[in-house]
Amino acid sequence: MSAYVTIEGSSEAEIEEKKSRFIAQLAHVETEEEALTFLDEVRTKHRMARHNVYAYVLRGEGASQRIRYSDDGEPQKTAGMPVLQAIQHAGLTDLIVVVTRYFGGTLLGTGGLVRAYTQATQAGIEAAELVRVSRCVDIHASVPYPQYEQVARIAADAGAKTLDVAYTDKVTLHLRMLEGTQEPFLRKMTELFRGQEQIEVSEPLDAVF
């Protein structure tokens, strides 16, 4: 699996266009069920709003990628499509954006609507924490105290991220590495401890890296 970029948690941003309020609400989701649950929450929160426009993109290869959008009563292709295009332009996936519009009394026209929904989505993305998710392996390495600093240096040189360190009768490092990059580190550990080290390597997993 190739790496992908999504957001951490959720974010919100608001813009105003001719007294109409456009509130962009973003959430990291991994299934259509999660996306629709978030949409229902926004609709409930903003039940007095004229429109709750949405778009979401869920990871998948080719035709299995799931993309949905809705204009929710706005003129066709003036709302949901601009939201979707802003998501795609940012290169994001596993994400839903719901833009709530409170009408301000002035018609914006098709161009004004496209611009407002695009800008609201962009503002929401700018407010979000973007994260890169890659195929990784987690490694737990238990080493004697005298070798701890040396092992930490070897791990750093190998491109590992240290997630946690536990101090008991030995020092246990919880490391995360990109899948396929762990062999040089494991080889050096074997050389250093002559095969006596205690190392556990997880199955590959998708994780922020």
Side-chain angles (χ1 to χ4, degrees):
M1 183 216 72
S2 57
Y4 62 94
V5 180
T6 185
I7 71 165
E8 183 83 47
S10 60
S11 72
E12 185 171 315
E14 180 176 338
I15 68 164
E16 188 173 307
E17 185 73 24
K18 295 181 180 176
K19 297 187 179 178
S20 276
R21 295 171 60 206
F22 293 84
I23 308 165
Q25 297 129 108
L26 288 67
H28 171 76
V29 292
E30 296 184 359
T31 65
E32 286 190 279
E33 185 179 6
E34 289 177 4
L36 296 175
T37 296
F38 181 75
L39 174 61
D40 286 342
E41 289 170 359
V42 173
R43 281 174 169 161
T44 300
K45 179 181 175 183
H46 295 286
R47 64 174 67 87
M48 302 304 291
R50 272 266 185 112
H51 309 281
N52 286 294
V53 167
Y54 73 87
Y56 60 81
V57 179
L58 297 174
R59 196 162 27 102
E61 298 299 326
S64 69
Q65 187 181 47
R66 279 154 296 163
I67 297 171
R68 300 284 185 277
Y69 65 90
S70 168
D71 295 311
D72 194 33
E74 294 281 33
Q76 192 175 4
K77 296 189 177 177
T78 64
M81 180 63 79
V83 172
L84 174 62
Q85 288 175 335
I87 295 171
Q88 292 174 325
H89 183 72
L92 302 177
T93 189
D94 282 8
L95 169 70
I96 182 170
V97 178
V98 185
V99 181
T100 299
R101 181 191 182 193
Y102 285 95
F103 185 54
T106 302
L107 295 174
L108 301 181
T110 56
L113 286 172
V114 169
R115 187 165 55 251
Y117 279 106
T118 300
Q119 290 175 350
T121 304
Q122 290 170 340
I125 291 170
E126 286 171 12
E129 181 184 351
L130 304 189
V131 291
R132 185 176 181 84
V133 179
S134 303
R135 198 68 167 164
C136 300
V137 292
D138 280 2
I139 298 173
H140 286 85
S142 296
V143 301
Y145 278 82
Q147 276 79 39
Y148 163 55
E149 287 190 6
Q150 185 180 4
V151 171
R153 218 167 27 246
I154 292 170
D157 290 345
K161 288 185 179 179
T162 302
L163 302 184
D164 187 41
V165 181
Y167 302 93
T168 53
D169 56 324
K170 289 186 173 185
V171 184
T172 301
L173 294 87
H174 179 191
L175 308 170
R176 179 164 290 163
M177 307 184 73
L178 291 173
E179 183 187 17
T181 67
Q182 68 268 28
E183 287 309 321
F185 170 74
L186 296 174
R187 196 159 51 244
K188 286 188 177 179
M189 291 291 287
T190 300
E191 291 170 3
L192 181 63
F193 294 104
R194 299 189 180 141
Q196 300 303 306
E197 77 285 357
Q198 289 180 289
I199 293 184
E200 295 176 8
V201 182
S202 74
E203 291 295 317
L205 69 152
D206 292 342
V208 174
F209 191 92

